[in-house]
Amino acid sequence: MKTNTDGLTVGKRIKKLRLEAGLTQEQLASHFLSSDGQSTLIVKTISLWESDVNRINIENLVILCNVLDTTPNYVLGFPEKEISIENSGLSKDEKYINSAYNIADKDGKRFLVSAATQLWKYANPNRVADDS
């Protein structure tokens, strides 16, 4: 596997992406809002990520990647993998879900599979899921 050779830390990549998107830390923080409109992420947290003092958690990583139009692999410094022919038709959201699954630990993978299974059952109440 190729290693990332850009020499940037996770925090420096976050800051680079934010600046390339033309966003201030306050503007980026506004994308991390809960349903009640209260900010669940303060500007200080973004500053701590960009300074490599704190690490970003997976939930916020997914939001960050959606806002900054990037992938978890890039933010974390892993090489981007070529998208295979069978995956070339994936939507942006499907690629993010795939990336989240790939970087998740064992419990995270189990959670994602469980959530996807429940969603499939909800969307297809009269069909039996293929467990193969």
Side-chain angles (χ1 to χ4, degrees), residues 51-72:
S51 302
D52 293 303
V53 173
N54 284 359
R55 293 185 179 162
I56 190 169
N57 66 34
I58 193 159
E59 292 86 6
N60 288 332
L61 178 62
V62 171
I63 294 168
L64 181 85
C65 289
N66 277 315
V67 172
L68 299 179
D69 194 26
T70 191
T71 64

Side-chain angles (χ1 to χ4, degrees), residues 31-90:
H31 290 276
F32 294 83
L33 296 176
S34 63
S35 59
D36 62 3
Q38 298 297 313
S39 179
T40 58
L41 184 73
I42 57 174
V43 175
K44 181 71 174 166
T45 301
I46 293 173
S47 177
L48 292 172
W49 291 344
E50 291 181 357
S51 302
D52 293 303
V53 173
N54 284 359
R55 293 185 179 162
I56 190 169
N57 66 34
I58 193 159
E59 292 86 6
N60 288 332
L61 178 62
V62 171
I63 294 168
L64 181 85
C65 289
N66 277 315
V67 172
L68 299 179
D69 194 26
T70 191
T71 64
N73 278 354
Y74 175 76
V75 174
L76 298 174
F78 297 115
E80 296 289 333
K81 293 184 178 180
E82 294 288 327
I83 298 174
S84 63
I85 293 172
E86 62 267 11
N87 288 337
S88 62
L90 294 178

Side-chain angles (χ1 to χ4, degrees), residues 3 14 29 43 48 72 75 78 80 92-93 95-96 117 120:
T3 58
I14 292 172
V43 175
L48 292 172
V75 174
F78 297 115
E80 296 289 333
K92 181 178 170 183
D93 289 338
K95 290 176 187 174
Y96 286 125
T117 301
W120 189 92

Side-chain angles (χ1 to χ4, degrees), residues 1-6 8 10 13 61 71-81 99 102-104:
M1 178 189 309
K2 293 187 277 182
T3 58
N4 191 304
T5 58
D6 67 4
L8 298 176
V10 171
R13 278 189 208 90
L61 178 62
T71 64
N73 278 354
Y74 175 76
V75 174
L76 298 174
F78 297 115
E80 296 289 333
K81 293 184 178 180
S99 292
N102 287 335
I103 65 170

